[in-house]
Amino acid sequence: MKKLVLIVVAIFLLIGCKKETATSTTSAPVENNNTVPTDKDIVDAYTYLYGRYLVIQQENYDINVEKVGYNKIKYNPLGSAQFVNPNLDVAYLEAWIAVDKDHAVILNVPKIEGRYYTAELLDGWGEVIVNINNRNFPKTPSGKFALVLKGTNPAIPADAVKIELPSEKAKMLARVELKGTSAKAKKLQEQFTFTVPDGIKIASPVTIPDFTPKAPIGGEIFDKVEEVLSSSPDAMPKAKEYQAKAIAVGEYAKKDDKAKTHVDEVVKTKAIPGFLAGAKGFGTQKGGWSVSYAAGNFGDDIMARDIINYGGLWANRIEEAIYFVGLTDSKKELLSGDKIYEIKFPKEDIPDLMVNAFWSVTLYSVPDYRVVDNKLKRYNLNNVSGLKKNPDGSLSIWLASSLPKGAIESNWLPTPAGKGFSLNFRTYVPKKIVQDGQWFPAPIEPKN
């Protein structure tokens, strides 16, 4: 799970992503017949590497700070609201997986029926390798899954489904829907286990400089180019092109102090500001909601991958989940606990009809992105909340610090009086109409 940087970066991620397009990669000749990378080359190389550095940073945090270890599952607290940007709909579990050419790790998946679940495997760039669930493995939705290094054939159980990992390390993030029965969800969560053989050779995370969302890594990103690139293969179609740029910039930066200063200056004045500007222009907005459809697998969009890794590492493919974020109302005013809002879905557009699994809307304070305490201890509403429809079949969700006049209490999400807040509308296994961008949550309409 992404650590506390979410507090700082949520607005960048939630507002949305401009597509990064490749341009000329030519370099300008200089007097000594060496070549100087263009500013565009340096910016492209930085943007490309930054996505990998964000994953390495998280691996170092998990392994060296939280001491979770490799091939050990961390069962996150069930339904806990005591951390940043909590998801109160699912039971989470996560792990760093490590294999080698002689050893496989066996993931044991319990039999789960009647509720959403997935075990998402991701590579070292934050790209989804596969989701293990009853949709992708209908004949073997549970049981043993042998995780092996691509191109190797270690001994595995005869009844295991073989899944190849592109490198020696991968990340697993699994989710089990609570569905109003948290005790059963917890039991299922804990039935995800590993069978790990002795003798797996595990390399330590690549050592990188410290950096933060407020102070992104600078030109030193090029100090270990080849070590970083060799630590995890990249499935991006144009990976070789971007890697060649990164290696060339790294070699140039080591040439002399003048070259290093040049690279540092371009990173500081163009690459970092360009990234932050791209983040602010991210996604599609409508009715107060913002959404990105670039997640999980990014094609050649290095900017989208950076932004997702920056603010919401381990994003899943859109066929698994799409998140709509509300920071403003339909009039583009920031959401305020001093106002009353109605989100009214016409009967033909109610969320239940738009998902094949479930949906929910969760309310968070800003800028800390925690749930808002209230006397009802109600932090979100979803398809199992017992919401009541209006007489015409429509569905209204009310947002206010106290129950609005005429509103149904079961459909009310309490807001913080005198303070701002945000919303996250989650759709799990969204239908094609949602994936294609033809459906948005109803507008967040101010009523006073």
Side-chain angles (χ1 to χ4, degrees):
M1 301 275 292
K2 192 69 173 172
K3 53 184 181 291
L4 295 184
V5 299
L6 279 166
I7 295 176
V8 181
V9 307
I11 290 179
F12 289 133
L13 171 67
L14 303 177
I15 295 179
C17 167
K18 290 182 179 176
K19 293 291 182 179
E20 177 75 4
T21 55
T23 58
S24 172
T25 60
T26 58
S27 299
V30 292
E31 291 182 3
N32 61 1
N33 294 322
N34 289 330
T35 58
V36 177
T38 66
D39 289 0
K40 180 65 168 65
D41 289 338
I42 296 171
V43 171
D44 281 352
Y46 177 91
T47 305
Y48 175 74
L49 286 175
Y50 193 37
R52 173 71 181 127
Y53 265 72
L54 289 163
V55 177
I56 294 173
Q57 181 188 57
Q58 188 67 48
E59 182 184 2
N60 272 283
Y61 179 84
D62 292 343
I63 299 301
N64 296 325
V65 179
E66 290 210 334
K67 306 292 185 182
V68 298
Y70 294 98
N71 298 329
K72 296 179 181 179
I73 295 178
K74 177 184 177 184
Y75 302 99
N76 293 327
L78 199 66
S80 173
Q82 304 307 312
F83 54 90
V84 176
N85 203 37
N87 183 338
L88 306 178
D89 306 311
V90 296
Y92 273 112
L93 54 144
E94 59 181 304
W96 282 97
I97 299 163
V99 298
D100 63 24
K101 64 183 180 64
D102 299 314
H103 303 89
V105 169
I106 308 302
L107 170 63
N108 304 296
V109 177
K111 185 177 181 180
I112 301 176
E113 296 179 327
R115 72 179 66 211
Y116 172 87
Y117 74 95
T118 194
E120 175 191 10
L121 303 182
L122 303 105
D123 68 15
W125 294 82
E127 301 256 0
V128 174
I129 301 168
V130 69
N131 276 281
I132 300 173
N133 53 42
N134 53 356
R135 295 173 299 286
N136 294 326
F137 295 87
K139 294 182 180 179
T140 55
S142 60
K144 300 174 184 176
F145 293 84
L147 312 179
V148 307
L149 179 62
K150 184 177 181 179
T152 66
N153 290 288
I156 63 174
D159 58 346
V161 177
K162 183 178 179 180
I163 294 179
E164 290 191 327
L165 305 179
S167 67
E168 291 85 356
K169 294 179 184 176
K171 177 72 175 183
M172 181 186 76
L173 183 62
R175 307 167 179 87
V176 178
E177 181 186 0
L178 297 185
K179 205 174 184 178
T181 53
S182 58
K184 186 172 183 179
K186 185 176 188 296
K187 184 176 180 180
L188 291 169
Q189 176 199 39
E190 295 173 348
Q191 288 175 7
F192 283 81
T193 61
F194 284 146
T195 302
V196 183
D198 294 330
I200 297 178
K201 298 176 182 178
I202 305 173
S204 299
V206 177
T207 302
I208 59 174
D210 291 333
F211 61 95
T212 68
K214 284 187 175 181
I217 189 169
E220 62 271 25
I221 198 172
F222 296 106
D223 291 350
K224 293 185 174 183
V225 171
E226 298 201 30
E227 181 182 356
V228 168
L229 294 179
S230 65
S231 65
S232 181
D234 186 8
M236 181 172 280
K238 289 187 178 180
K240 289 185 178 180
E241 175 183 327
Y242 285 118
Q243 289 172 5
K245 284 187 181 186
I247 291 170
V249 173
E251 290 175 349
Y252 168 69
K254 292 177 182 177
K255 177 184 169 185
D256 53 39
D257 289 344
K258 183 178 179 181
K260 184 179 185 305
T261 299
H262 175 214
V263 170
D264 290 344
E265 185 67 15
V266 173
V267 168
K268 180 180 178 180
T269 61
K270 295 186 178 181
I272 294 174
F275 165 72
L276 295 176
K280 290 180 181 179
F282 189 72
T284 303
Q285 297 90 37
K286 184 178 178 181
W289 300 101
S290 300
V291 65
S292 169
Y293 301 100
N297 297 117
F298 302 94
D300 286 315
D301 197 332
I302 55 177
M303 180 65 79
R305 188 162 70 180
D306 276 12
I307 294 167
I308 295 295
N309 287 358
Y310 180 77
L313 196 57
W314 317 133
N316 215 327
R317 293 169 176 164
I318 62 172
E319 59 263 30
E320 284 295 322
I322 295 178
Y323 300 158
F324 298 87
V325 176
L327 292 171
T328 67
D329 61 26
S330 60
K331 297 181 180 179
K332 298 186 178 180
E333 298 289 335
L334 290 174
L335 298 176
S336 169
D338 289 332
K339 294 184 178 181
I340 297 171
Y341 304 92
E342 181 184 16
I343 305 171
K344 187 175 182 179
F345 298 90
K347 64 179 180 181
E348 66 274 11
D349 280 337
I350 61 174
D352 301 61
L353 302 176
M354 302 300 157
V355 295
N356 289 316
F358 69 101
W359 65 270
S360 74
V361 58
T362 307
L363 191 147
Y364 301 107
S365 59
V366 291
D368 56 348
Y369 292 89
R370 302 268 181 168
V371 296
V372 173
D373 194 24
N374 58 82
K375 64 182 181 181
L376 298 179
K377 300 300 179 183
R378 181 181 294 166
Y379 310 122
N380 72 336
L381 296 172
N382 55 38
N383 55 301
V384 295
S385 294
L387 302 180
K388 296 180 181 179
K389 294 180 181 179
N390 299 315
D392 63 357
S394 62
L395 177 68
S396 293
I397 292 174
W398 292 91
L399 312 170
S401 58
S402 58
L403 181 65
K405 184 178 180 180
I408 304 171
E409 185 177 77
S410 62
N411 296 31
W412 168 47
L413 261 181
T415 64
K419 298 180 181 179
F421 66 92
S422 70
L423 302 170
N424 195 333
F425 195 104
R426 296 175 168 95
T427 60
Y428 286 88
V429 195
K431 292 185 177 179
K432 190 173 186 299
I433 189 173
V434 184
Q435 295 182 39
D436 291 346
Q438 299 178 41
W439 182 90
F440 253 66
I444 306 168
E445 298 283 3
K447 308 306 287 188
N448 63 339

